[in-house]
């Protein structure tokens, strides 16, 4: 990563109010969003509106407990194409992704 | 012909120029193709002889998982978008001649044997919709209903067949259906139940005789002999995993375009890092080729001498080449993360490979495995050449 990117990441995270200690770094957040769109998106749609897997939009995830969604992502759904991501994604990053998904904080367009 | 977008957008004068230009500068379409720039909803029209991009077409909506079929005159492409969009694109002018949003969520489609009808497989609402290739006027729908409450299943593995028929699978219902389209619209001609758990995609052999559906929920595939009107789907490759737990699948294999190379068919073992090699007359497994990771596409060079494979996340930087006579992996290329698709030139001397995260199309010589050149493309995914126009199941 170039020095300039580091600086802008630093500035970006410094400007974010109330960043929880466990939140991924700004650079890592960008990578996670890329993974969400492209690698989750191959089954859930690039815009998360659904494909072979269900939509991952706030309206469809509303009312589902965050811990349950984190568990599905970490352990997958046995017998269904939803794969386990444990080993590829640490739990803290998955929790952050679920938070973003439920809040509709990801610009998918 | 050189018409840039400024000219096309520039109104009457530009149109007049375009007409003159296309009338004076005749060219064929047999060496043209399309590259999907999926994040931008755009297409590149490419020339495989000149190895260059001719023009960019924008405004095609959500092209994640987009696929393309060609009119039989190989001038027009029908583009199936994830968002249910169906667009007819003119490769020679770069224009979108017709576009409909025909469903909420769709997965791909097929063009009839006679070239008059394009059929789209939909997830939402689950079923198949048919359109005239001339102007995309709707010709009817088959709702993929199943069970006591007539729920609608996602449709996958839609393929055209000889005698102007179609065949497809119902992901949620574990069924395979065949259909025809007559004067009064589409009719279902056969419905096969309990074909196996979670059919996720399918292929038809180049002769149109066999339909092979991949099953996510079990070690095996469903095979239907379409030349035998009394045939039922049979299970082949039963228990190919030999009872071992499958590895997780981070990207579903695509079966359309999977390889039939001479008498051999190369199939993905779901959740395993191997290709299953099946004899096309007995439909028995004759060999297994251990490969780098979980295969997504395995595509035969048009002469059937080689099979090229790409892989699921997190190993999608690698492409491997299998030599068909020896069934050995004879080459591997590390092209960078996000290798999504491969397409051979019509007679296979080169293969074009999309490398999504490098914003690049690599053109590789299939004899030397050396890179010939690269083209820029933004987040490229599918590559489709017009040679598909005259092949069944493409």
């Amino acid at each position: 990563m170039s020095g300039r990117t580091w600086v802008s990441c630093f500035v970006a995270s410094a400007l974010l109010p109330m960043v929880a200690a466990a939140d991924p770094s700004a650079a890592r957040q960008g990578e996670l969003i890329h993974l969400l769109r492209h690698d989750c998106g191959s089954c859930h749609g690039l815009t998360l509106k659904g494909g072979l897997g269900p939509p991952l939009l706030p309206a469809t995830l509303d009312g589902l407990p965050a811990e349950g969604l984190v568990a599905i992502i970490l352990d997958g759904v046995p017998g269904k194409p939803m794969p386990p991501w444990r080993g590829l994604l640490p739990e803290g990053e998955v929790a952050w992704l679920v938070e973003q998904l439920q809040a509709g904080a990801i610009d998918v367009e | 012909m050189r018409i840039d977008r400024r000219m096309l957008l520039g109104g009457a004068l530009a149109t007049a120029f375009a007409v003159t230009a296309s009338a004076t500068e005749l060219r064929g379409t047999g060496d043209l193709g399309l590259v999907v720039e999926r994040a931008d909803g755009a297409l590149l029209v490419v020339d495989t002889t000149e190895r260059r991009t001719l023009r960019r077409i924008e405004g095609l909506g959500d092209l994640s998982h987009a696929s393309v079929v060609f009119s039989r005159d190989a001038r027009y492409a029908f583009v199936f978008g994830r968002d249910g969009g169906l667009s007819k694109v003119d490769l020679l002018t770069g224009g979108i001649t017709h576009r409909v949003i025909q469903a909420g969520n769709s997965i791909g489609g097929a063009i009839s044997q006679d070239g008059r009808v394009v059929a789209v497989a939909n997830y939402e609402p689950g079923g198949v919709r048919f359109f005239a290739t001339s102007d995309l006027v709707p010709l009817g729908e088959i709702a993929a209903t199943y069970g006591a409450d007539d729920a609608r299943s996602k449709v996958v593995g839609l393929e055209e067949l000889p005698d102007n028929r179609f065949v497809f699978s119902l992901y949620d219902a574990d069924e395979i259906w065949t259909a025809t389209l007559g004067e009064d619209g589409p009719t279902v001609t056969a419905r096969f139940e309990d074909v196996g758990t979670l059919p996720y995609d399918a292929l038809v052999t180049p002769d149109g005789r066999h339909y092979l559906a991949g099953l996510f929920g079990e070690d095996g595939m469903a095979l239907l002999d379409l030349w035998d009107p009394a045939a039922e789907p049979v299970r082949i490759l039963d228990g190919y995993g030999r009872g071992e737990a499958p590895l997780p699948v981070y990207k579903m294999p695509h079966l359309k375009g999977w390889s039939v190379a001479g008498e051999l068919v190369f199939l993905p073992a779901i959740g395993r890092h191997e290709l299953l090699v099946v004899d096309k007359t007995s439909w028995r497994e004759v060999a297994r080729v251990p490969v780098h990771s979980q295969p997504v596409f395995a595509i035969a060079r048009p002469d059937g001498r080689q099979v090229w494979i790409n892989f699921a996340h997190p190993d999608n930087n690698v492409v491997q080449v299998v030599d068909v006579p020896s069934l050995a992996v004879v080459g591997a290329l590390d092209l960078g993360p996000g290798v999504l698709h491969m397409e051979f030139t019509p007679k296979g001397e080169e293969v074009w490979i999309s490398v999504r995260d490098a914003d690049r199309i690599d053109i590789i010589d299939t004899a030397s495995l050396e890179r010939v050149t690269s083209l820029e493309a933004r987040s490229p995914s599918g590559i489709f050449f017009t040679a598909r126009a005259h092949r069944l199941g493409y």
Side-chain angles (χ1 to χ4, degrees), chain A residues 41-65:
Chain A
S42 73
C43 288
H44 292 280
L46 191 70
T47 54
L48 306 179
K49 289 181 191 141
L52 199 66
L56 299 179
L57 300 172
T60 51
L61 298 178
D62 204 28
L64 298 173

Side-chain angles (χ1 to χ4, degrees), chain A residues 34-35 37-39 41-43 45-47 49-52 79-81 83-85 88, chain B residues 38-39 62 64-65 82 105 123 154 171 198 216 248-252 313-314 356-357 379:
Chain A
H34 184 83
L35 173 108
R37 289 181 49 127
H38 292 286
D39 295 303
S42 73
C43 288
L46 191 70
T47 54
K49 289 181 191 141
L52 199 66
K80 298 288 170 100
W85 293 81
L88 292 175
Chain B
R38 68 176 195 171
D62 180 353
S64 54
H65 217 289
R82 178 33 82 57
N105 197 315
Y123 280 170
K154 294 182 174 116
Y171 171 78
L198 296 174
F216 185 83
V249 176
Y250 291 98
K251 181 164 174 153
M252 299 301 283
H313 176 91
R356 180 193 65 206
D357 295 347
S379 240

Side-chain angles (χ1 to χ4, degrees), chain A residues 84-101:
Chain A
W85 293 81
R86 198 183 286 285
L88 292 175
L89 296 176
E91 185 159 350
E93 294 187 355
V94 172
W96 181 82
L97 272 177
V98 166
E99 207 179 292
Q100 305 304 304
L101 284 169

